[in-house]
Amino acid sequence: MDESRQSSWTGAGAALRKAAPPPALCGFLLLLALIFTVSYVVGAGAGPVAPGMHGSGTSRDGGDGGGDGGVDDMGDMQGGHG
C-alpha cells in the first residue's frame, strides 16, 4: 500500500521538475540581475559623465539650446561624404 502512494508522488514530482526551469538558468538570471543592479548603483553614484554638457533640445535658460552659434555637433570637421 505504501508503494502505490509513493509512485503517485513520484509522478507528480517528476511533472513539477519538468515544468520548472533548470537551476542553472535561475542562477544565471539571478546573477545577471545582480550585475545590472550593481552597475546601476555605481553609475548613479558616479554622477553624470559630462556635467556641463546639455542636450541639443531645450536649455534651462531658454536660449537656443546648444549655444554653439549654429555650428552642428561635428564642428568644422569635413566629412568624406560625397
Side-chain angles (χ1 to χ4, degrees):
M1 187 146 179
D2 289 331
E3 290 177 17
S4 64
R5 288 185 194 167
Q6 194 173 23
S7 65
S8 66
W9 281 104
T10 306
L16 283 175
R17 281 192 298 269
K18 283 185 178 182
L25 178 63
C26 293
F28 174 72
L29 292 176
L30 182 67
L31 182 64
L32 193 64
L34 179 69
I35 288 172
F36 279 124
T37 303
V38 169
S39 174
Y40 178 79
V41 168
V42 168
V49 175
M53 187 180 290
H54 299 289
S56 62
T58 60
S59 65
R60 295 181 192 167
D61 60 359
D64 64 348
D68 55 3
V71 179
D72 63 354
D73 288 340
M74 294 297 288
D76 291 332
M77 290 179 59
Q78 296 293 325
H81 305 289

